[in-house]
Amino acid sequence: LVAGIAALWLEELACFRDNKPGAQWVNWVGEFSCGPNVTIVRPKTLIELQDTVGKHASVRAAATGHSFNPFACPDNLLGAVVDMRAFKKIEVTLGGNGSAQVKAESGITMGQLQNEILARGLTLRVPPGNSAYTVGGCIATGCHNLGQSHAQDLLAVTFVLHNGTVQEVKRGDLDFSAAAVSIGRLGIILSATLEVLPYRTLQWSTEQLPMPETPEVIKLLEQMTERQKSRESVGNKLVFYLATRVMMMEYWVPTGRAAKPEETNSGSPLGPYHNPQGFRLGQGRFSNILDRMRHIAFGLAPHWWLSLLQVPAEVGFRGLHASPLLSGVRQALGWQHSPEARGEASARPVGNRYTWAGWIDEVTNLIMGLRHVEVIFPLHPPQKAAKCLDAVFAHKHLAWWRLNVRTQKSESFLLSSTHSPAGSEPVTFLRVDFVAPGALLDMSSGEASLTAQLHSQCPGWRKHWGKGLFATSAEEQWGEPQVFLDTVGRWDPAGKFRSRASPSWLP
């Protein structure tokens, strides 16, 4: 039996990796597919990339597939997905007064980018929320961590346009606010230039408290955002374990920027971050059987039984993630959800690593069919924010393992999930995220119920472009879509880069 399962697994994996006839572009665990008729192209040079863009009428760029929706799929069912993973060079430029910038090609993972600049005594302003994201995917969707988006440190983006030409947009240019979070609509991101800073350690600690009532949670979040005085302040977060009614306050304390990049520029490189993506399946019988088994198991299991299972899942995760006694264990295991494993808590960084603990994490994601979702809404007025948060808490059966709440100031990029118009008063947003079994989300009590309650109690709520909830709520809009579409009309007049999943308000 084990040999048979392994054979089916390897057959699907080889189909995707080798681009065999009938191979389908899928996300990192093979759950979202672009279908058998979409061509997968893997260029290795700029000329090959330009030829690919010119050859196909409908094109989308993708890479490691760490998304939970079909935005990577071209609008035309006979279009092409361009795999950008071969584009992973970086170039660091040091300026005066300790300033520096890195120009990174879009296919490099955020973990490897961070490792390469850490070796030079530099760091991104906030560490990557997920080491396996690529630069292109991160910038296109507006990814974030610890209260800030990486787009806030973006200096320039270089695109391959619909006609194959290469164009760079710099901060301050007319179209930069569209390019900073472009969801791939202006062209294929070839590279991004980001401000980087001297390395600093992040000291991390937690405090465990009984879960308060929602109005008290909102007050705590207001206090958190008051302490975030500048971009150099790192945002703390609240972590909720809903089945066990526990709240953890996570404190991230930066120690100051003492590193001198000029002195460490020739230092020894850190080990590479390499995720082999051994679960990128979705090509045949194994994935079909596994998907049916998941839906049968979650469909037949009574609600009370699933609620009971959430308790040991939360207790185990909370202990491994937050217990001070297990700090050394987290570091030894390479527990990717902690700063010890990401090498940000020591005077000399050790960098991001893909370890066997990461492998086990991905096995769990595959078996349970987990999907990442994020609900975003303003912190003020607090009464409305409380209703929004209550709508999420009411679906605690979806939030396996934990639920995170972070605060983030608004930004003026046209399609940012925390958009507020340029020149207006800054708005503080709450970003509430969790992972849920896909089979539970597909039930009537899952995604459809959550989005309906949010639509009723939390009008104007938003989503993360790279995560879930678009199946039942694609028409919730935000930002400045018409200004963005006007820009798209100039950059891509024929709609070559339109996504199959584009909502009707972004045709």
Side-chain angles (χ1 to χ4, degrees):
L1 178 62
V2 173
I5 292 174
L8 291 173
W9 177 355
L10 293 174
E11 179 184 5
E12 289 195 28
L13 195 58
C15 181
F16 176 79
R17 287 178 171 176
D18 300 337
N19 206 5
K20 294 182 177 179
Q24 302 181 48
W25 182 264
V26 291
N27 72 336
W28 68 300
V29 288
E31 187 173 20
F32 290 92
S33 164
C34 291
N37 296 319
V38 169
T39 302
I40 301 173
V41 187
R42 294 187 166 113
K44 292 182 171 54
T45 67
L46 175 57
I47 292 175
E48 290 178 0
L49 174 59
Q50 291 170 312
D51 288 344
T52 299
V53 171
K55 185 184 301 182
H56 295 274
S58 183
V59 181
R60 293 288 289 174
T64 55
H66 276 265
S67 56
F68 299 86
N69 58 53
F71 270 97
C73 300
D75 188 41
N76 190 318
L77 294 176
L78 300 177
V81 171
V82 180
D83 186 345
M84 294 294 291
R85 286 179 293 172
F87 294 82
K88 49 191 177 184
K89 295 177 183 177
I90 76 161
E91 178 183 350
V92 175
T93 304
L94 300 178
N97 302 319
S99 65
Q101 62 184 45
V102 60
K103 185 174 185 177
E105 290 186 335
S106 63
I108 191 171
T109 62
M110 295 295 287
Q112 181 60 23
L113 170 62
Q114 179 76 333
N115 283 4
E116 293 198 28
I117 60 175
L118 284 174
R120 294 166 164 86
L122 298 164
T123 181
L124 297 167
R125 189 181 301 274
V126 290
N130 187 316
S131 300
Y133 297 162
T134 58
V135 167
C138 179
I139 296 303
T141 60
C143 71
H144 66 97
N145 194 24
L146 299 181
Q148 297 183 49
S149 75
H150 291 289
Q152 293 175 16
D153 290 317
L154 190 63
L155 301 175
V157 192
T158 303
F159 295 91
V160 174
L161 305 188
H162 66 97
N163 56 7
T165 59
V166 176
Q167 183 166 331
E168 183 181 57
V169 187
K170 297 180 179 180
R171 182 175 289 273
D173 289 349
L174 174 65
D175 294 331
F176 186 80
S177 60
V181 182
S182 67
I183 59 171
R185 288 295 300 272
L186 302 187
I188 292 180
I189 295 177
L190 181 63
S191 66
T193 303
L194 294 152
E195 179 185 7
V196 291
L197 301 133
Y199 175 69
R200 63 175 176 182
T201 60
L202 288 174
Q203 299 302 319
W204 176 71
S205 61
T206 62
E207 179 182 5
Q208 179 172 317
L209 300 166
M211 183 173 166
E213 295 301 315
T214 307
E216 292 302 313
V217 172
I218 297 299
K219 289 181 181 178
L220 283 171
L221 291 164
E222 288 178 320
Q223 294 169 9
M224 281 172 50
T225 195
E226 287 172 2
R227 292 193 292 267
Q228 198 168 353
K229 300 295 186 182
S230 71
R231 293 170 64 202
E232 281 292 273
S233 303
V234 173
N236 300 322
K237 69 176 179 177
L238 301 183
V239 182
F240 295 91
Y241 298 89
L242 299 178
T244 50
R245 300 287 299 174
V246 169
M247 182 183 76
M248 304 289 293
M249 296 188 68
E250 289 194 4
Y251 303 100
W252 299 73
V253 182
T255 61
R257 301 194 183 278
K260 295 182 179 180
E262 293 85 358
E263 296 178 0
T264 56
N265 193 39
S266 58
S268 57
L270 301 179
Y273 174 81
H274 175 64
N275 184 332
Q277 295 205 293
F279 305 97
R280 209 153 181 187
L281 307 176
Q283 307 292 329
R285 289 175 292 172
F286 177 81
S287 294
N288 293 336
I289 292 170
L290 183 59
D291 183 61
R292 285 198 294 269
M293 290 175 62
R294 285 193 297 249
H295 279 80
I296 290 171
F298 282 103
L300 294 179
H303 180 75
W304 63 265
W305 173 245
L306 292 175
S307 298
L308 283 178
L309 289 179
Q310 279 185 274
V311 173
E314 287 187 1
V315 171
F317 188 97
R318 186 172 75 244
L320 182 56
H321 180 67
S323 172
L325 299 176
L326 297 179
S327 174
V329 174
R330 287 191 290 272
Q331 188 170 7
L333 295 180
W335 179 245
Q336 70 273 22
H337 300 287
S338 71
E340 292 100 335
R342 293 198 298 255
E344 298 145 0
S346 56
R348 176 171 173 78
V350 296
N352 297 263
R353 297 173 293 161
Y354 180 79
T355 67
W356 71 271
W359 185 86
I360 291 175
D361 186 77
E362 292 189 353
V363 169
T364 304
N365 274 269
L366 177 71
I367 292 174
M368 296 190 68
L370 298 178
R371 300 177 197 164
H372 202 170
V373 302
E374 186 166 345
V375 177
I376 305 162
F377 50 87
L379 176 58
H380 295 106
Q383 297 83 1
K384 179 181 175 182
K387 291 181 179 180
C388 296
L389 199 54
D390 278 336
V392 180
F393 285 165
H395 292 79
K396 65 180 182 179
H397 64 288
L398 300 177
W400 281 64
W401 318 112
R402 63 176 177 174
L403 179 147
N404 303 303
V405 183
R406 302 173 177 87
T407 61
Q408 182 179 319
K409 294 291 186 183
S410 58
E411 51 195 22
S412 60
F413 309 127
L414 300 178
L415 289 189
S416 169
S417 298
T418 57
H419 171 272
S420 185
S424 63
E425 281 292 317
V427 176
T428 298
F429 284 88
L430 300 186
R431 307 193 72 137
V432 183
D433 75 280
F434 58 91
V435 294
L440 290 182
L441 285 170
D442 291 340
M443 294 180 184
S444 60
S445 59
E447 176 178 333
S449 174
L450 172 60
T451 56
Q453 192 165 344
L454 286 167
H455 184 75
S456 172
Q457 293 183 205
C458 188
W461 71 282
R462 307 164 182 202
K463 297 174 283 294
H464 188 297
W465 287 111
K467 298 177 184 176
L469 301 184
F470 282 90
T472 57
S473 64
E475 300 317 307
E476 298 278 350
Q477 65 175 313
W478 63 87
E480 299 180 60
Q482 190 55 55
V483 180
F484 180 80
L485 289 172
D486 291 343
T487 307
V488 170
R490 289 186 281 105
W491 282 63
D492 181 26
K496 176 173 289 202
F497 301 112
R498 185 183 296 116
S499 168
R500 185 185 309 171
S502 289
S504 63
W505 52 279
L506 288 174

